[in-house]
Amino acid sequence: DAMVIQNPRYQVTQFGKPVTLSCSQTLNHNVMYWYQQKSSQAPKLLFHYYDKDFNNEADTPDNFQSRRPNTSFCFLDIRSPGLGDAAMYLCATSRVSSRGRGTGSNQPQHFGDGTRLSIL
Amino acid sequence: GQQVMQIPQYQHVQEGEDFTTYCNSSTTLSNIQWYKQRPGGHPVFLIQLVKSGEVKKQKRLTFQFGEAKKNSSLHITATQTTDVGTYFCAGRGNNDMRFGAGTRLTVKP
């Protein structure tokens, strides 16, 4: 059974047209992450939620926003996608204790299958 | 800031040969995790190392954490075609976890 579910698997949007990617989890993990992964590169952390607390990476463009309406769901909004935003977007979850707060933790991250975003 | 370097970027081996990937951090790590990503798939957690000098084994895979907790390695003995994929290390520094660039392993039958 899938535990971290991302929809859609493939998304095509037009240059400049807003797009939303979704992620849901059945693990009841308190931390949810969004990564951008381009071909043959490491996943690059965009931001993460520790419960309801939003934590943005310093180099994440303002074009990228996120929402977490409840524990199970998290959304990635790209306000005005550019050609450089074409990538695989990975959602991950983790259970982090208050002492291990931050992107680092002693618990593994569970990844979804990702959404491959194409920009026309 | 914290950087995690991983080498080699690519490794092509004949089935049955051994394979090693190395991960080095610019700062001392509190722990390091290893992930495997199959072609077209997502990263899957393999293992976590926490203690200085720690060595863990999973069948043909051996993971080591350096004494100074700044480097780590993954060694696969007698590779099989099912080992193909990209292996990432992810090291935790003060508070953030950073992925290495990954080593892409291909295995020729």
Side-chain angles (χ1 to χ4, degrees):
Chain A
D1 290 337
M3 294 178 289
V4 181
I5 303 163
Q6 291 189 243
N7 284 304
R9 289 294 308 275
Y10 301 92
Q11 176 74 56
V12 181
T13 191
Q14 291 179 331
F15 182 94
K17 186 175 181 181
V19 65
T20 295
L21 310 181
S22 74
C23 177
S24 63
Q25 55 135 339
T26 59
L27 297 165
N28 202 32
H29 283 169
N30 56 345
V31 186
M32 295 186 78
Y33 310 83
W34 278 105
Y35 289 89
Q36 179 193 67
Q37 187 177 29
K38 297 190 175 181
S39 180
S40 301
Q41 295 184 20
K44 179 182 179 299
L45 182 65
L46 295 173
F47 25 59
H48 75 278
Y49 273 95
Y50 180 94
D51 292 325
K52 295 183 179 180
D53 291 343
F54 177 72
N55 298 271
N56 199 29
E57 291 296 299
D59 57 354
T60 298
D62 293 339
N63 197 26
F64 291 85
Q65 304 284 319
S66 186
R67 296 170 283 135
R68 189 179 186 186
N70 54 54
T71 300
S72 301
F73 286 87
C74 197
F75 300 97
L76 168 62
D77 301 308
I78 309 177
R79 293 191 298 184
S80 182
L83 296 178
D85 297 328
M88 175 73 83
Y89 289 88
L90 294 164
C91 173
T93 72
S94 179
R95 180 177 298 283
V96 177
S97 66
S98 58
R99 289 184 62 189
R101 189 163 180 167
T103 61
S105 78
N106 286 339
Q107 300 300 319
Q109 295 189 15
H110 298 262
F111 285 83
D113 287 336
T115 294
R116 184 167 296 281
L117 179 66
S118 300
I119 314 295
L120 299 180
Chain B
Q2 175 194 334
Q3 289 188 327
V4 177
M5 311 298 291
Q6 192 173 353
I7 58 170
Q9 188 175 2
Y10 302 97
Q11 185 76 59
H12 179 70
V13 300
Q14 188 80 35
E15 187 173 22
E17 291 181 339
D18 292 353
F19 159 76
T20 305
T21 173
Y22 301 90
C23 196
N24 292 285
S25 170
S26 56
T27 58
T28 301
L29 300 171
S30 58
N31 64 57
I32 193 160
Q33 298 175 353
W34 285 92
Y35 292 79
K36 177 184 179 181
Q37 186 173 21
R38 293 182 184 274
H42 60 270
V44 174
F45 175 78
L46 294 176
I47 210 160
Q48 178 174 271
L49 304 170
V50 180
K51 298 177 182 177
S52 170
E54 188 171 14
V55 178
K56 288 188 176 180
K57 292 190 175 184
Q58 289 179 350
K59 297 181 180 178
R60 293 178 295 104
L61 277 61
T62 302
F63 303 84
Q64 294 189 7
F65 201 10
E67 293 291 340
K69 300 183 73 173
K70 296 179 76 172
N71 57 75
S72 181
S73 65
L74 158 59
H75 179 81
I76 302 178
T77 303
T79 55
Q80 300 174 0
T81 54
T82 53
D83 294 327
V84 296
T86 301
Y87 293 84
F88 292 100
C89 62
R92 180 190 178 192
N94 288 334
N95 209 26
D96 294 336
M97 191 168 79
R98 291 286 177 261
F99 277 84
T103 296
R104 184 175 177 182
L105 173 64
T106 55
V107 180
K108 184 178 181 181

